[in-house]
Amino acid sequence: MNMKPVLLIAAAALMLGVAGCDTSKYGQVEQGKVIAFDKDAQIVTVVHDTNIDPSNPKYDKMPPVVFKLPANPKEIGPLPKVGQRLQLNLEEKKLEIYDAQKQTLVYIDIPDADVQKDIGKEHALVKDQSFPKIDSEKGTITVYSGRLKALCTFGIPAGYENYPPETWTTGDEVRIYFKPESGQAGTRESPFQARRFMNITQTNIYKK
């Protein structure tokens, strides 16, 4: 896929939205993390990043927004990895997740968190490893944050003993260009139709 047109159009649409232009005419851009993806139906669910800042994202807008992927395969980047872990705050020892059962954002205290920092993706502790690692016998979960370069182990929170691994997995960051049409609500029953879908996490925009 040629990513240059996607990047240019997405950037232009974002600027138009910020400038207060008529987005019904020029379209809109959604950016956030993927918390659900139905591959058969080609429907993706995203929690919006209100900061749109790679160094300081903020996933706090509810409800999640639902999109139907573009009909043209050439307008679709790599399909997304799903996860409900939205943010890991090492300083405050808090974890933000999207609780799929409660259908809401939940902020969990992890005071017992054991954190190892400066762990790059090529570090022996994480290279060729898959996360999260759930140890039922010890009652712990280990997650890795590439953005923070941190490996974090914490006790399984009370009430979350039987939650699936996706709860502690971070989903891909994506950018979606769309033009809302009459009758579309951005819900599972009435998803927005995406015109272009870019997987930021899995796309190297500098690759020639």
Side-chain angles (χ1 to χ4, degrees):
M1 177 183 179
N2 185 351
M3 294 306 303
K4 187 174 181 180
V6 174
L7 291 172
L8 291 175
I9 291 174
L14 181 59
M15 290 177 67
L16 287 168
V18 172
C21 293
D22 184 1
T23 54
S24 64
K25 179 179 179 181
Y26 296 103
Q28 299 180 33
V29 171
E30 174 66 61
Q31 181 165 321
K33 278 194 175 181
V34 175
I35 58 168
F37 176 52
D38 185 332
K39 187 175 181 179
D40 293 332
Q42 292 287 280
I43 290 178
V44 62
T45 305
V46 176
V47 172
H48 180 65
D49 175 5
T50 58
N51 271 1
I52 312 182
D53 177 359
S55 63
N56 186 32
K58 191 174 183 181
Y59 309 98
D60 60 355
K61 186 176 180 180
M62 287 281 102
V65 190
V66 183
F67 296 89
K68 178 91 172 171
L69 292 186
N72 185 350
K74 293 183 179 180
E75 303 298 348
I76 303 175
L79 297 180
K81 181 182 76 172
V82 172
Q84 285 92 50
R85 190 186 97 223
L86 298 174
Q87 274 190 301
L88 178 63
N89 188 322
L90 298 179
E91 286 69 32
E92 297 182 12
K93 291 193 173 182
K94 288 181 179 292
L95 186 69
E96 179 194 0
I97 67 168
Y98 175 79
D99 189 317
Q101 294 187 24
K102 299 175 182 176
Q103 297 186 23
T104 189
L105 299 179
V106 176
Y107 297 84
I108 302 172
D109 290 316
I110 47 173
D112 61 343
D114 177 24
V115 180
Q116 299 181 64
K117 297 183 178 181
D118 298 319
I119 306 293
K121 293 181 179 180
E122 296 300 311
H123 195 285
L125 289 175
V126 299
K127 186 178 181 180
D128 299 324
Q129 299 290 314
S130 61
F131 295 92
K133 293 185 181 298
I134 302 175
D135 191 324
S136 299
E137 292 186 2
K138 293 182 179 179
T140 62
I141 300 171
T142 299
V143 299
Y144 175 67
S145 172
R147 182 176 66 85
L148 300 176
K149 294 184 178 180
L151 192 62
C152 179
T153 299
F154 54 91
I156 298 175
Y160 288 89
E161 292 83 359
N162 297 317
Y163 272 57
E166 290 78 13
T167 306
W168 319 109
T169 302
T170 183
D172 283 344
E173 185 87 13
V174 299
R175 186 176 296 150
I176 301 169
Y177 171 63
F178 67 107
K179 293 178 70 175
E181 298 178 5
S182 177
Q184 296 178 338
T187 63
R188 175 76 192 195
E189 295 73 24
S190 178
F192 289 124
Q193 177 62 62
R195 302 294 184 93
R196 290 175 178 83
F197 175 87
M198 177 184 177
N199 189 324
I200 299 173
T201 301
Q202 296 187 45
T203 300
N204 181 1
I205 63 174
Y206 301 104
K207 184 177 181 180
K208 295 182 179 179

Coordinates of all heavy atoms in Angstrom, one line a residue, residues 35-101:
I35 N -9.9 -1.4 20.6 CA -10.2 -2.2 21.7 C -11.0 -3.5 21.2 O -11.2 -4.4 22.0 CB -11.1 -1.5 22.7 CG1 -12.3 -0.9 22.1 CG2 -10.2 -0.4 23.4 CD1 -13.3 -0.4 23.1
A36 N -11.5 -3.4 19.9 CA -12.2 -4.6 19.4 C -12.1 -4.6 17.9 O -12.1 -3.5 17.3 CB -13.7 -4.6 19.8
F37 N -12.1 -5.8 17.3 CA -12.0 -5.9 15.8 C -12.7 -7.1 15.4 O -12.3 -8.2 15.8 CB -10.6 -5.8 15.3 CG -10.5 -6.0 13.8 CD1 -11.2 -5.3 12.9 CD2 -9.6 -7.0 13.3 CE1 -11.1 -5.4 11.6 CE2 -9.5 -7.2 12.0 CZ -10.2 -6.4 11.1
D38 N -13.7 -7.0 14.5 CA -14.5 -8.1 14.0 C -13.9 -8.3 12.5 O -14.3 -7.5 11.6 CB -16.0 -7.8 14.0 CG -16.8 -9.0 13.5 OD1 -16.3 -9.8 12.7 OD2 -18.0 -9.1 13.9
K39 N -13.1 -9.2 12.4 CA -12.4 -9.4 11.0 C -13.4 -9.8 10.0 O -13.3 -9.3 8.8 CB -11.3 -10.5 11.1 CG -10.5 -10.6 9.9 CD -9.3 -11.6 10.1 CE -8.5 -11.7 8.8 NZ -7.3 -12.6 9.0
D40 N -14.4 -10.6 10.3 CA -15.4 -11.1 9.3 C -16.3 -9.9 8.9 O -16.5 -9.8 7.7 CB -16.2 -12.2 9.9 CG -15.4 -13.5 10.2 OD1 -14.5 -13.7 9.4 OD2 -15.8 -14.3 11.1
A41 N -16.7 -9.1 9.8 CA -17.6 -8.0 9.5 C -16.8 -6.8 9.1 O -17.4 -5.8 8.6 CB -18.5 -7.7 10.7
Q42 N -15.4 -6.8 9.3 CA -14.6 -5.7 9.0 C -15.0 -4.4 9.8 O -15.0 -3.3 9.2 CB -14.6 -5.4 7.5 CG -14.0 -6.5 6.6 CD -12.4 -6.5 6.7 OE1 -11.7 -5.7 6.1 NE2 -11.9 -7.4 7.5
I43 N -15.3 -4.6 11.0 CA -15.7 -3.6 11.9 C -14.6 -3.4 13.1 O -14.3 -4.4 13.7 CB -17.1 -3.8 12.5 CG1 -18.1 -3.7 11.4 CG2 -17.4 -2.9 13.7 CD1 -19.5 -4.0 11.9
V44 N -14.2 -2.1 13.2 CA -13.2 -1.8 14.2 C -13.7 -0.8 15.2 O -14.5 0.1 14.9 CB -11.9 -1.3 13.6 CG1 -12.2 0.0 12.8 CG2 -10.8 -1.1 14.6
T45 N -13.4 -1.0 16.5 CA -13.9 -0.1 17.6 C -12.7 0.5 18.2 O -11.7 -0.1 18.6 CB -14.7 -0.9 18.7 OG1 -15.7 -1.7 18.0 CG2 -15.2 0.0 19.7
V46 N -12.8 1.9 18.4 CA -11.6 2.7 18.8 C -12.0 3.6 20.0 O -13.1 4.2 20.0 CB -11.2 3.6 17.6 CG1 -10.0 4.5 18.0 CG2 -10.7 2.7 16.4
V47 N -11.1 3.7 20.9 CA -11.2 4.7 22.0 C -10.3 5.9 21.6 O -9.1 5.7 21.4 CB -10.7 4.1 23.4 CG1 -10.7 5.2 24.4 CG2 -11.7 3.0 23.8
H48 N -10.9 7.0 21.6 CA -10.3 8.2 21.0 C -9.1 8.7 21.9 O -9.2 8.7 23.1 CB -11.4 9.3 20.9 CG -10.9 10.6 20.4 ND1 -10.4 10.8 19.1 CD2 -10.8 11.8 21.0 CE1 -10.0 12.0 18.9 NE2 -10.3 12.7 20.0
D49 N -8.1 9.2 21.3 CA -6.9 9.8 21.9 C -7.2 11.3 21.9 O -7.1 12.0 20.8 CB -5.6 9.5 21.2 CG -4.4 10.2 21.8 OD1 -4.6 11.0 22.8 OD2 -3.3 10.1 21.2
T50 N -7.6 12.0 23.0 CA -7.9 13.4 23.0 C -6.7 14.3 22.9 O -6.8 15.5 22.6 CB -8.7 13.7 24.3 OG1 -8.0 13.4 25.4 CG2 -10.0 13.0 24.3
N51 N -5.5 13.8 23.1 CA -4.3 14.6 23.0 C -3.7 14.5 21.6 O -3.1 15.5 21.1 CB -3.2 14.1 24.1 CG -3.4 14.9 25.4 OD1 -4.3 15.7 25.5 ND2 -2.5 14.6 26.3
I52 N -3.8 13.3 21.0 CA -3.1 13.0 19.7 C -1.7 13.5 19.8 O -1.1 14.2 19.0 CB -3.8 13.7 18.5 CG1 -5.4 13.5 18.6 CG2 -3.3 13.2 17.2 CD1 -6.1 14.1 17.5
D53 N -1.0 13.0 20.9 CA 0.4 13.4 21.1 C 1.1 12.0 21.4 O 0.9 11.4 22.5 CB 0.6 14.3 22.3 CG 2.0 14.6 22.6 OD1 2.9 14.1 22.0 OD2 2.2 15.4 23.6
P54 N 2.0 11.6 20.5 CA 2.6 10.2 20.7 C 3.4 10.1 22.0 O 3.5 9.0 22.6 CB 3.6 10.2 19.5 CG 3.1 11.1 18.5 CD 2.4 12.2 19.3
S55 N 3.9 11.2 22.6 CA 4.6 11.2 23.8 C 3.7 11.3 25.0 O 4.1 11.0 26.2 CB 5.7 12.3 23.9 OG 5.0 13.6 23.8
N56 N 2.5 11.7 24.8 CA 1.6 11.9 26.0 C 0.1 11.7 25.5 O -0.7 12.6 25.6 CB 1.7 13.3 26.6 CG 0.9 13.5 27.8 OD1 0.7 12.6 28.6 ND2 0.4 14.7 28.0
P57 N -0.2 10.5 25.1 CA -1.6 10.2 24.7 C -2.6 10.2 25.9 O -2.2 10.0 27.0 CB -1.5 8.8 24.1 CG -0.4 8.1 24.8 CD 0.6 9.3 25.1
K58 N -3.8 10.4 25.6 CA -4.9 10.4 26.6 C -6.1 9.8 26.1 O -6.8 10.4 25.2 CB -5.1 11.8 27.1 CG -6.0 11.9 28.3 CD -6.1 13.4 28.8 CE -6.9 13.5 30.1 NZ -7.0 14.9 30.5
Y59 N -6.4 8.6 26.5 CA -7.6 7.8 26.0 C -8.7 7.9 27.0 O -8.8 7.1 27.9 CB -7.2 6.4 25.7 CG -6.0 6.2 24.8 CD1 -4.7 6.0 25.4 CD2 -6.0 6.4 23.5 CE1 -3.6 5.9 24.6 CE2 -4.9 6.3 22.7 CZ -3.7 6.0 23.3 OH -2.5 5.9 22.5
D60 N -9.6 8.9 26.8 CA -10.5 9.1 27.9 C -11.9 9.5 27.4 O -12.8 10.0 28.1 CB -10.0 10.2 28.8 CG -9.8 11.5 28.1 OD1 -9.9 11.6 26.9 OD2 -9.5 12.5 28.8
K61 N -12.2 9.4 26.1 CA -13.4 9.8 25.5 C -14.4 8.6 25.3 O -14.0 7.6 24.6 CB -13.2 10.5 24.2 CG -14.5 11.1 23.6 CD -14.2 11.9 22.3 CE -15.5 12.5 21.7 NZ -15.2 13.2 20.5
M62 N -15.5 8.7 25.9 CA -16.5 7.6 25.8 C -17.8 8.2 25.1 O -18.1 9.4 25.2 CB -16.9 7.1 27.2 CG -15.8 6.2 27.8 SD -15.8 4.5 27.2 CE -14.4 4.6 26.1
P63 N -18.6 7.4 24.4 CA -18.3 5.9 24.2 C -17.3 5.7 23.1 O -16.9 6.6 22.4 CB -19.7 5.4 23.8 CG -20.3 6.6 23.0 CD -19.8 7.8 23.8
P64 N -16.8 4.5 22.9 CA -15.9 4.2 21.8 C -16.6 4.4 20.5 O -17.8 4.4 20.4 CB -15.6 2.7 22.0 CG -15.9 2.4 23.5 CD -17.1 3.3 23.8
V65 N -15.8 4.6 19.4 CA -16.4 4.9 18.1 C -16.2 3.6 17.2 O -15.1 3.0 17.3 CB -15.7 6.1 17.5 CG1 -16.5 6.5 16.2 CG2 -15.7 7.3 18.4
V66 N -17.2 3.3 16.4 CA -17.2 2.1 15.6 C -17.1 2.5 14.1 O -17.9 3.3 13.7 CB -18.4 1.2 15.9 CG1 -18.3 -0.1 15.1 CG2 -18.5 0.9 17.4
F67 N -16.2 1.8 13.4 CA -16.1 2.0 12.0 C -16.1 0.8 11.2 O -15.7 -0.3 11.6 CB -14.7 2.7 11.7 CG -14.5 4.1 12.3 CD1 -14.0 4.2 13.6 CD2 -14.9 5.2 11.7 CE1 -13.8 5.4 14.2 CE2 -14.7 6.4 12.2 CZ -14.2 6.6 13.5
K68 N -16.6 0.9 10.0 CA -16.5 -0.2 9.0 C -15.3 0.2 8.1 O -15.1 1.3 7.6 CB -17.8 -0.1 8.1 CG -17.8 -1.2 7.0 CD -18.4 -2.5 7.4 CE -18.6 -3.4 6.2 NZ -19.0 -4.8 6.6
L69 N -14.4 -0.8 7.9 CA -13.2 -0.6 7.2 C -13.5 -0.2 5.7 O -14.6 -0.6 5.2 CB -12.3 -1.8 7.2 CG -11.7 -2.1 8.6 CD1 -10.7 -3.3 8.4 CD2 -11.0 -0.9 9.2
P70 N -12.7 0.5 5.0 CA -12.9 0.9 3.6 C -13.2 -0.3 2.7 O -12.6 -1.4 2.9 CB -11.6 1.6 3.2 CG -11.0 2.1 4.5 CD -11.4 1.0 5.5
A71 N -14.1 -0.1 1.8 CA -14.4 -1.2 0.8 C -13.2 -1.5 -0.1 O -13.0 -2.6 -0.5 CB -15.6 -0.8 0.0
N72 N -12.4 -0.5 -0.3 CA -11.2 -0.6 -1.2 C -10.0 -1.2 -0.4 O -9.6 -0.4 0.5 CB -10.9 0.7 -1.9 CG -9.7 0.6 -2.9 OD1 -9.1 -0.5 -3.0 ND2 -9.5 1.6 -3.6
P73 N -9.6 -2.4 -0.6 CA -8.4 -2.9 0.2 C -7.2 -2.1 0.1 O -6.4 -2.1 1.1 CB -8.2 -4.3 -0.5 CG -9.5 -4.6 -1.2 CD -10.1 -3.3 -1.6
K74 N -7.0 -1.3 -1.0 CA -5.8 -0.4 -1.1 C -5.8 0.7 -0.1 O -4.8 1.3 0.2 CB -5.7 0.1 -2.5 CG -5.5 -0.9 -3.6 CD -5.3 -0.3 -4.9 CE -5.1 -1.3 -6.0 NZ -4.9 -0.7 -7.4
E75 N -7.0 1.0 0.5 CA -7.1 2.1 1.5 C -7.0 1.5 2.9 O -7.3 2.3 3.9 CB -8.4 2.8 1.3 CG -8.6 3.4 0.0 CD -7.6 4.4 -0.4 OE1 -6.8 4.9 0.5 OE2 -7.5 4.8 -1.6
I76 N -6.6 0.3 3.1 CA -6.5 -0.3 4.4 C -5.1 -0.7 4.7 O -4.4 -1.4 3.9 CB -7.4 -1.6 4.5 CG1 -8.9 -1.3 4.2 CG2 -7.3 -2.2 5.9 CD1 -9.8 -2.5 4.1
G77 N -4.6 -0.2 5.8 CA -3.2 -0.6 6.3 C -3.3 -2.0 6.9 O -4.3 -2.7 6.8
P78 N -2.2 -2.3 7.7 CA -2.2 -3.6 8.4 C -3.4 -3.7 9.3 O -3.7 -2.8 10.0 CB -0.9 -3.6 9.1 CG 0.0 -2.6 8.3 CD -0.9 -1.6 7.8
L79 N -4.0 -4.9 9.4 CA -5.1 -5.1 10.3 C -4.7 -5.0 11.8 O -3.5 -5.4 12.1 CB -5.8 -6.4 10.0 CG -6.4 -6.6 8.6 CD1 -7.0 -8.0 8.5 CD2 -7.4 -5.5 8.4
P80 N -5.5 -4.4 12.6 CA -5.1 -4.1 14.0 C -5.0 -5.2 15.0 O -5.8 -6.2 14.9 CB -6.1 -3.1 14.4 CG -7.3 -3.5 13.7 CD -6.9 -4.0 12.4
K81 N -4.1 -5.1 15.9 CA -4.1 -6.0 17.1 C -5.0 -5.3 18.1 O -5.0 -4.1 18.3 CB -2.6 -6.1 17.6 CG -2.5 -7.0 18.9 CD -1.1 -7.0 19.4 CE -0.8 -5.7 20.2 NZ 0.5 -5.8 20.9
V82 N -5.7 -6.2 18.8 CA -6.7 -5.7 19.7 C -6.2 -5.8 21.2 O -5.5 -6.7 21.5 CB -8.0 -6.6 19.6 CG1 -9.0 -6.2 20.7 CG2 -8.7 -6.4 18.2
G83 N -6.6 -4.8 22.0 CA -6.3 -4.9 23.4 C -7.1 -3.8 24.2 O -7.4 -2.7 23.6
Q84 N -7.4 -4.1 25.4 CA -8.1 -3.1 26.2 C -7.3 -2.4 27.2 O -7.8 -1.5 28.0 CB -9.3 -3.9 27.0 CG -10.4 -4.3 26.1 CD -10.3 -5.7 25.5 OE1 -10.0 -6.6 26.2 NE2 -10.5 -5.8 24.2
R85 N -6.0 -2.6 27.2 CA -5.1 -1.8 28.1 C -4.8 -0.5 27.4 O -4.2 -0.5 26.3 CB -3.8 -2.6 28.4 CG -3.0 -1.9 29.5 CD -1.6 -2.6 29.7 NE -0.6 -1.9 29.0 CZ 0.4 -2.5 28.3 NH1 0.4 -3.8 28.2 NH2 1.3 -1.8 27.7
L86 N -5.2 0.6 27.9 CA -5.1 1.8 27.3 C -3.9 2.6 27.7 O -3.2 3.2 26.9 CB -6.4 2.7 27.5 CG -7.7 2.1 26.9 CD1 -8.9 2.9 27.3 CD2 -7.5 1.9 25.4
Q87 N -3.6 2.7 29.0 CA -2.4 3.4 29.5 C -1.9 2.8 30.8 O -2.6 2.2 31.6 CB -2.8 4.9 29.7 CG -2.6 5.7 28.5 CD -2.7 7.2 28.8 OE1 -3.7 7.7 29.3 NE2 -1.7 7.9 28.4
L88 N -0.6 2.9 30.9 CA 0.1 2.4 32.1 C 0.8 3.6 32.7 O 1.7 4.2 32.0 CB 1.1 1.3 31.7 CG 2.0 0.8 32.8 CD1 1.1 0.0 33.9 CD2 3.0 -0.2 32.2
N89 N 0.5 4.0 33.9 CA 1.1 5.2 34.6 C 2.0 4.7 35.6 O 1.6 4.2 36.7 CB 0.0 6.0 35.2 CG 0.5 7.4 35.7 OD1 1.6 7.4 36.3 ND2 -0.3 8.4 35.6
L90 N 3.3 4.7 35.3 CA 4.3 4.1 36.2 C 4.5 5.0 37.5 O 4.8 4.5 38.6 CB 5.6 4.0 35.5 CG 5.6 3.0 34.3 CD1 7.0 3.0 33.6 CD2 5.1 1.6 34.7
E91 N 4.4 6.3 37.3 CA 4.6 7.2 38.5 C 3.5 7.0 39.5 O 3.8 6.9 40.7 CB 4.7 8.7 38.0 CG 5.9 9.1 37.2 CD 6.0 8.4 35.9 OE1 5.0 8.1 35.2 OE2 7.2 8.1 35.4
E92 N 2.3 7.0 39.1 CA 1.2 6.9 40.0 C 0.8 5.4 40.3 O -0.1 5.1 41.1 CB -0.1 7.6 39.5 CG 0.2 9.1 39.3 CD -1.0 9.9 38.8 OE1 -2.1 9.2 38.8 OE2 -0.9 11.0 38.5
K93 N 1.4 4.5 39.5 CA 1.1 3.1 39.6 C -0.4 2.8 39.4 O -1.1 2.3 40.3 CB 1.6 2.5 41.0 CG 3.2 2.4 41.0 CD 3.7 1.6 42.2 CE 5.2 1.5 42.1 NZ 5.7 0.6 43.2
K94 N -0.8 3.2 38.3 CA -2.2 3.0 37.9 C -2.3 2.5 36.5 O -1.4 2.7 35.7 CB -3.0 4.4 37.9 CG -3.3 4.9 39.3 CD -4.1 6.2 39.2 CE -4.4 6.8 40.6 NZ -5.3 5.9 41.3
L95 N -3.3 1.7 36.2 CA -3.5 1.1 34.9 C -4.9 1.5 34.4 O -5.9 1.4 35.2 CB -3.5 -0.4 35.1 CG -3.5 -1.3 33.8 CD1 -2.2 -1.1 33.0 CD2 -3.6 -2.7 34.2
E96 N -5.0 2.0 33.2 CA -6.3 2.3 32.6 C -6.6 1.2 31.6 O -5.9 0.9 30.7 CB -6.3 3.7 31.9 CG -7.6 4.0 31.3 CD -7.5 5.2 30.3 OE1 -6.4 5.7 30.1 OE2 -8.5 5.5 29.7
I97 N -7.8 0.7 31.7 CA -8.3 -0.3 30.8 C -9.7 0.0 30.3 O -10.4 0.8 31.0 CB -8.3 -1.8 31.4 CG1 -9.4 -1.9 32.5 CG2 -6.9 -2.2 31.9 CD1 -9.7 -3.3 32.9
Y98 N -10.1 -0.6 29.2 CA -11.5 -0.5 28.8 C -12.1 -1.9 29.2 O -11.7 -2.9 28.7 CB -11.7 -0.3 27.3 CG -13.1 -0.4 26.9 CD1 -13.9 0.7 27.0 CD2 -13.6 -1.6 26.3 CE1 -15.3 0.6 26.7 CE2 -15.0 -1.6 25.9 CZ -15.8 -0.5 26.1 OH -17.1 -0.6 25.8
D99 N -13.0 -1.8 30.2 CA -13.6 -3.0 30.7 C -14.7 -3.4 29.8 O -15.8 -2.8 29.7 CB -14.2 -2.8 32.1 CG -14.6 -4.0 32.8 OD1 -15.3 -4.9 32.1 OD2 -14.3 -4.2 34.0
A100 N -14.5 -4.5 29.0 CA -15.4 -4.9 27.9 C -16.7 -5.4 28.5 O -17.8 -5.3 27.9 CB -14.8 -5.9 27.0
Q101 N -16.7 -5.9 29.8 CA -17.9 -6.5 30.4 C -18.7 -5.3 30.9 O -20.0 -5.3 30.8 CB -17.5 -7.4 31.5 CG -16.8 -8.7 31.0 CD -16.6 -9.7 32.2 OE1 -17.3 -9.7 33.2 NE2 -15.6 -10.6 32.0

